[in-house]
Amino acid sequence: MMSVRVLCFILMVTVTPYGWQTWIFAAGAAVLPYLAVVIANVGNGDEVVVAERPSREIESTPSASTPPENPNGGVIRIQESPPQEDR
């Protein structure tokens, strides 16, 4: 439908002299997008959606976490020295 709409728009602009056919092409270019959306949204009304109860798929098991080998490993500490008084 959109390709027919584009064709109607092109014919509306290019067909000369402008007359009653120009209005037909303009109506086609204006109405076809509406019809395309309505037809796309109609769909089948026969589908019945059944809600499913969610279930837990993966059971979790508690695991003991191990502390790091060196608590300060990889940590850089920066300390500022106190400000010096006027000399």
Side-chain angles (χ1 to χ4, degrees):
M1 278 193 163
M2 289 300 111
S3 60
V4 173
R5 177 191 183 225
V6 170
L7 180 64
C8 284
F9 184 75
I10 292 171
L11 289 174
M12 178 184 71
V13 174
T14 58
V15 171
T16 55
Y18 299 123
W20 62 270
Q21 69 274 13
T22 305
W23 291 105
I24 299 293
F25 294 141
V31 173
L32 281 175
Y34 173 76
L35 292 176
V37 169
V38 168
I39 290 172
N41 287 336
V42 167
N44 291 334
D46 299 338
E47 297 176 16
V48 176
V49 179
V50 178
E52 294 183 19
R53 182 176 212 164
S55 61
R56 184 177 289 176
E57 295 293 328
I58 300 174
E59 295 294 328
S60 62
T61 57
S63 62
S65 62
T66 58
E69 295 176 9
N70 185 1
N72 291 333
V75 176
I76 299 173
R77 296 193 182 267
I78 300 175
Q79 291 183 329
E80 294 184 19
S81 60
Q84 295 180 355
E85 299 295 325
D86 291 329
R87 293 183 189 177

